[in-house]
Amino acid sequence: MTEISETNPKLVEADISGLKVRTRDGDNLGHIKAMMVDKRSGHATYAVLSLGGFLGMNKSYYPVPFSLLAYDATQDDYVVTIDRRLLEGGPSWSNNAPEFDQSYADRVSSYYGTAPTAIS
């Protein structure tokens, strides 16, 4: 973990590195840039995936509900359990991250069809 910042009273964002992410088919997608953790329960609620780019340029960031990731202990990485095209069409940014408030969390959950998470 490299940096921790509080985004609201209930969530803390932890910037991390080294957690690789791949598709269900085994293709490399990128890595987890940050996790949003519920401070009360200690459970990760969202992951921010860093995809694409070359030499740190033109990367895009995709917030996904953590329930859509599965850990693969044999490969020591995470697998996105949804289709890559669905992920790439989802909420994202390349510069200037949005404020991760309740409205944005609801938008992310609605897009992926997961239960909304109360973050405030």
Side-chain angles (χ1 to χ4, degrees), residues 8 15 19 26 40 57 59-60 63-64 67 69 72-73 77 89 92 97-98 103-105 111 113 115 120:
N8 67 49
D15 283 344
L19 295 177
R40 294 180 187 137
M57 306 282 288
K59 286 187 179 183
S60 294
V64 296
S67 61
L69 298 174
D72 182 344
D77 61 9
S92 66
S103 174
Y104 192 74
Y111 176 81
S120 52

Side-chain angles (χ1 to χ4, degrees), residues 50-117:
S50 173
L51 309 182
F54 180 71
L55 297 175
M57 306 282 288
N58 299 323
K59 286 187 179 183
S60 294
Y61 301 99
Y62 296 82
V64 296
F66 201 77
S67 61
L68 298 180
L69 298 174
Y71 181 68
D72 182 344
T74 59
Q75 297 291 323
D76 191 30
D77 61 9
Y78 282 88
V79 177
V80 175
T81 61
I82 57 172
D83 187 83
R84 181 181 189 147
R85 292 172 296 213
L86 179 66
L87 173 67
E88 291 175 342
S92 66
W93 67 88
S94 56
N95 299 315
N96 304 328
E99 182 178 342
F100 208 99
D101 57 11
Q102 188 64 56
S103 174
Y104 192 74
D106 290 346
R107 178 178 165 214
V108 171
S109 294
S110 175
Y111 176 81
Y112 291 110
T114 60
T117 301

Side-chain angles (χ1 to χ4, degrees), residues 16-21 30-33 35 71 76-78:
I16 54 179
S17 63
L19 295 177
K20 295 179 185 173
V21 179
H31 69 277
I32 297 175
K33 178 192 182 314
M35 289 186 189
Y71 181 68
D76 191 30
D77 61 9
Y78 282 88

